[in-house]
C-alpha cells in the first residue's frame, strides 16, 4: 500500500504533471466560457512551464541532493562487498532486443564493472526487481548477473536480489540476503541525487554502508546560476529532484529512513 500510494502521490506532484494539469484545467475553463479564470489559469500554467523548464530552479532543487555525499575516496582498505541499486537497466527493452539497454542512470552499471575489476575479492550485489505498476516485467538483477559473468566475474562472487521494488526493499532484502558481519566494509552504489534517501534507508535497516555516488546530473554549485537551453531538459531534472524530495519526506514519515535528510556520518 505504501509503495502504491507513494507512486501515485509522486506522479501527481511532479512539476511536469502538475503543470499539465493546470494547463488542462485552464483550457477546460475556457471551453466552459469561463474566460477570466480560464485565461488566468492557462497563464499561470505557462509561467510555471517557463520557470521549471528554463530557469536554474531545477538545478537548485537537485544540487542539495547530489552534493550531500562527496565522491568516495579509497583509504587503502578494500571493501568486502559492493551493493549496486537497480534503476539503471531497461529490462523490457534489453529482453526484447537481446542486448543491454541502459537508462539515464547507466553510470551505476559502469561503476559496478569497474569496482568488480578493482576489488577482485569483493562480493558484488545487484539489488533490483521490477517497479512496473502497469504490467509484469523482468527483474533487472538477472541481466546484471549475466553482464558481470560476461566480464569474467566469478559466479560465486555475484549475489542477485530480484524481489525488491523500492529503495526500502533494496535495503531490507539485501541485508537479509548477504547477512553482513561486524567489521565488514560495504560500498553502496547509486545516483548521487538518490544517495541521501538510499543511505537513510540502509541505516534504518541496520546495514552500515559507505556512499559511492555516481550519475552526477550537475557539475557543481555553479549550476545554480545556469539556465537550461531546452524546456524538456529543465522539466526532466525538476521531476527527478522533486520526486526525490517527496521520497525523503515520505520515507521519514513512514519510518523507512533514519533521518529526514541523511548525510555523511561525522
Amino acid at each position: 500500500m505504501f509503495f502504491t500510494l507513494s507512486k501515485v502521490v509522486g506522479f501527481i506532484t511532479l512539476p511536469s504533471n502538475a503543470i499539465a494539469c493546470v494547463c488542462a484545467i485552464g483550457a477546460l475553463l475556457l471551453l466552459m466560457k469561463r474566460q477570466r479564470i480560464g485565461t488566468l489559469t492557462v497563464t499561470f500554467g505557462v509561467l510555471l512551464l517557463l520557470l521549471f523548464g528554463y530557469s536554474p530552479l531545477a538545478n537548485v532543487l537537485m544540487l542539495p541532493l547530489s552534493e550531500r555525499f562527496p565522491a568516495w575516496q579509497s583509504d587503502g582498505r578494500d571493501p568486502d562487498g559492493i551493493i549496486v541499486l537497480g534503476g539503471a537497466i531497461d529490462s523490457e527493452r534489453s529482453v526484447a532486443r537481446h542486448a543491454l539497454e541502459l537508462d539515464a542512470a547507466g553510470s551505476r552499471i559502469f561503476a559496478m564493472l569497474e569496482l568488480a575489476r578493482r576489488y577482485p575479492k569483493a562480493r558484488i550485489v545487484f539489488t533490483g526487481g521490477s517497479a512496473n505498476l502497469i504490467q509484469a516485467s523482468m527483474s533487472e538483477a538477472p541481466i546484471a548477473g549475466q553482464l558481470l559473468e560476461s566480464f569474467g566475474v566469478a559466479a560465486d562472487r555475484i549475489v542477485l536480489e530480484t524481489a525488491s521494488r523500492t529503495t526500502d526493499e533494496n535495503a531490507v532484502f539485501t541485508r537479509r540476503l548477504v547477512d553482513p558481519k561486524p567489521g565488514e566494509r560495504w560500498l553502496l552504489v547509486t545516483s548521487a541525487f538518490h544517495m541521501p534517501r538510499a543511505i537513510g534507508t540502509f541505516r534504518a535497516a541496520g546495514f552500515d554502508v559507505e556512499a559511492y555516488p555516481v550519475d552526477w546530473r550537475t557539475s557543481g554549485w555553479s549550476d545554480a546560476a545556469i539556465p537550461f537551453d531546452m524546456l524538456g531538459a529543465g522539466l526532466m531534472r525538476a521531476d527527478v529532484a522533486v520526486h526525490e524530495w517527496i521520497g525523503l519526506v515520505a520515507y521519514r514519515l513512514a519510518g523507512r529512513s533514519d533521518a529526514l535528510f541523511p548525510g555523511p556520518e561525522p
Side-chain angles (χ1 to χ4, degrees):
M1 174 63 77
F2 171 78
F3 171 63
T4 303
L5 181 60
S6 64
K7 284 285 186 180
V8 172
V9 171
F11 177 83
I12 295 173
T13 52
L14 291 182
S16 60
N17 294 331
I19 292 169
C21 289
V22 170
C23 292
I25 292 171
L28 182 62
L29 290 170
L30 289 174
L31 290 174
M32 296 170 62
K33 308 302 183 183
R34 303 289 297 274
Q35 297 296 323
R36 180 177 175 80
I37 186 64
T39 300
L40 288 174
T41 303
V42 170
T43 301
F44 180 60
V46 171
L47 290 176
L48 288 176
L49 190 68
L50 296 175
L51 177 65
F52 281 96
Y54 287 117
S55 82
L57 178 59
N59 282 334
V60 172
L61 293 170
M62 177 70 79
L63 282 164
L65 297 166
S66 61
E67 300 300 314
R68 186 64 165 165
F69 287 86
W72 186 78
Q73 300 293 329
S74 174
D75 58 6
R77 178 189 168 202
D78 291 355
D80 298 284
I82 295 147
I83 302 166
V84 183
L85 298 193
I89 298 174
D90 188 325
S91 56
E92 286 87 355
R93 289 191 177 88
S94 294
V95 172
R97 296 293 182 179
H98 304 289
L100 179 66
E101 294 294 332
L102 304 178
D103 62 18
S107 298
R108 303 182 193 183
I109 302 302
F110 296 124
M112 175 183 72
L113 296 174
E114 167 59 21
L115 290 169
R117 181 199 62 80
R118 192 191 311 174
Y119 301 110
K121 295 182 179 179
R123 283 188 284 172
I124 310 298
V125 182
F126 190 94
T127 169
S130 172
N132 196 323
L133 291 175
I134 300 175
Q135 61 184 16
S137 61
M138 183 177 179
S139 167
E140 292 180 61
I143 301 174
Q146 293 171 9
L147 178 66
L148 285 165
E149 289 192 32
S150 72
F151 273 79
V153 179
D156 59 0
R157 292 179 57 200
I158 303 171
V159 180
L160 304 178
E161 187 285 299
T162 62
S164 59
R165 302 171 301 161
T166 65
T167 307
D168 171 56
E169 291 181 351
N170 287 149
V172 174
F173 295 171
T174 300
R175 187 185 190 283
R176 188 183 304 158
L177 187 62
V178 303
D179 189 24
K181 303 299 187 293
E184 287 186 340
R185 186 178 205 181
W186 288 84
L187 304 186
L188 178 64
V189 178
T190 190
S191 300
F193 63 85
H194 181 57
M195 189 61 77
R197 182 155 60 105
I199 286 288
T201 306
F202 271 77
R203 287 174 182 168
F207 198 159
D208 186 24
V209 294
E210 297 179 28
Y212 193 99
V214 295
D215 182 25
W216 306 88
R217 303 290 174 94
T218 59
S219 300
W221 287 105
S222 60
D223 282 4
I226 300 176
F228 289 87
D229 58 359
M230 292 191 299
L231 182 71
L235 289 174
M236 287 179 62
R237 186 161 299 172
D239 280 353
V240 171
V242 170
H243 170 82
E244 205 56 43
W245 284 111
I246 291 171
L248 283 167
V249 174
Y251 268 45
R252 183 54 179 164
L253 291 177
R256 288 168 165 81
S257 178
D258 73 328
L260 179 60
F261 191 35
E265 292 181 340

